[in-house]
Amino acid sequence: MTLVKTIVCLANSRKLSGRCVAGMLADGSGEWVRPVSARPNREVSTWERQYADGTDPSVLDIVSVALVRPQPHDFQSENWLLNPTSFWNKIGRVDWRGLVGLEQRPSALWINGSSSYHGNNDRIPIEEAFTLSDSLNLIRTAGLTLQVHTPGAMFGNQKRALSAHFSYAENSHILRVTDPEYELEYLPKPEGFYELGESFLTVSLSEPYEGHVYKLVAAIIERVKVQAGGRR
């Protein structure tokens, strides 16, 4: 049985060989939906998430998605198994005002206090993560700083990474960015820091990795870009 849900796409982020797509129901309920595949890592392929014209869903698209059933996985309570035989359907777009109506105001980004070498408040021990009831948040920041850097340089890994520096609820964060649009724009730039203005961030919890779950910036939505007519 297939159930169609209409969501505001708030992430189409990089995940392994596919993407992690997530959004809130367009009815204003605040409920998150993360369509997932039946594969072990649940990433969504290009073929599984495309519109009938072959294009990819963009952040801020209003999209109808054919789903099979809820498929929560530990703290990722928002997961729904998608129907891979159906095209997704773009219904419209959300503007900045509509985005403001979806804003969430959690007291914190889940649990703070654990940091990786290149991050800050960017991870949660697995045993603590398994006590959480959700894995997605849409928050607003007055501004943020993007950092282009090479975190593995001392070990001979020259692959660049993009990190977001920002404050939320009086806590500073340095989180890895997995938004492919921003990686494409910023990773070719010289290493350093780049200032952005008021933005929404979709923050997601990763799959467990070496004893921790990581907080990731799955989407950056800058006010200046949205009000200029797009993010895409």
Side-chain angles (χ1 to χ4, degrees):
M1 183 182 220
T2 295
L3 174 66
V4 175
K5 287 185 176 284
T6 301
I7 64 173
V8 178
C9 180
L10 296 171
N12 186 350
S13 66
R14 176 177 50 78
K15 181 179 182 181
L16 302 174
S17 59
R19 294 287 181 88
C20 175
V21 181
M24 282 190 203
L25 291 183
D27 61 8
S29 65
E31 179 184 343
W32 281 93
V33 172
R34 180 192 285 113
V36 298
S37 71
R39 288 181 294 281
N41 290 307
R42 292 167 286 281
E43 72 275 14
V44 180
S45 70
T46 302
W47 184 76
E48 289 167 329
R49 67 180 185 268
Q50 66 184 326
Y51 295 141
D53 64 1
T55 59
D56 206 38
S58 294
V59 170
L60 301 183
D61 281 359
I62 302 172
V63 187
S64 62
V65 184
L67 304 167
V68 178
R69 61 178 178 273
Q71 197 166 72
H73 181 70
D74 297 324
F75 49 86
Q76 293 185 345
S77 59
E78 307 90 349
N79 292 5
W80 280 74
L81 181 65
L82 60 79
N83 181 347
T85 66
S86 296
F87 286 118
W88 294 15
N89 183 36
K90 179 179 176 179
I91 296 173
R93 293 274 293 172
V94 164
D95 60 12
W96 184 261
R97 179 181 295 181
L99 191 60
V100 169
L102 300 176
E103 180 181 358
Q104 296 179 292
R105 297 178 177 87
S107 59
L109 288 178
W110 300 287
I111 301 169
N112 291 315
S114 182
S115 303
S116 67
Y117 187 79
H118 292 282
N120 190 54
N121 287 319
D122 65 328
R123 64 184 188 179
I124 303 169
I126 285 179
E127 60 273 15
E128 294 181 38
F130 284 168
T131 69
L132 300 174
S133 59
D134 58 53
S135 64
L136 289 160
N137 270 304
L138 179 70
I139 62 167
R140 184 164 22 168
T141 64
L144 71 151
T145 301
L146 294 182
Q147 180 187 10
V148 178
H149 59 125
T150 310
M154 68 177 64
F155 305 108
N157 183 350
Q158 298 304 312
K159 190 172 183 179
R160 288 183 169 191
L162 187 64
S163 295
H165 297 235
F166 63 95
S167 293
Y168 181 76
E170 300 183 355
N171 288 287
S172 62
H173 295 80
I174 304 175
L175 309 185
R176 188 66 60 88
V177 176
T178 57
D179 183 326
E181 295 291 329
Y182 276 77
E183 289 182 318
L184 184 65
E185 180 179 352
Y186 281 90
L187 288 180
K189 295 179 182 288
E191 290 198 3
F193 297 90
Y194 300 86
E195 302 295 327
L196 304 186
E198 183 182 2
S199 301
F200 275 93
L201 305 178
T202 299
V203 185
S204 176
L205 295 182
S206 73
E207 303 282 348
Y209 177 72
E210 295 185 352
H212 290 86
V213 166
Y214 284 80
K215 304 173 190 178
L216 304 171
V217 175
I220 299 170
I221 310 171
E222 292 180 76
R223 181 173 186 166
V224 66
K225 286 190 176 182
V226 175
Q227 293 187 329
R231 190 203 92 121
R232 306 297 192 196

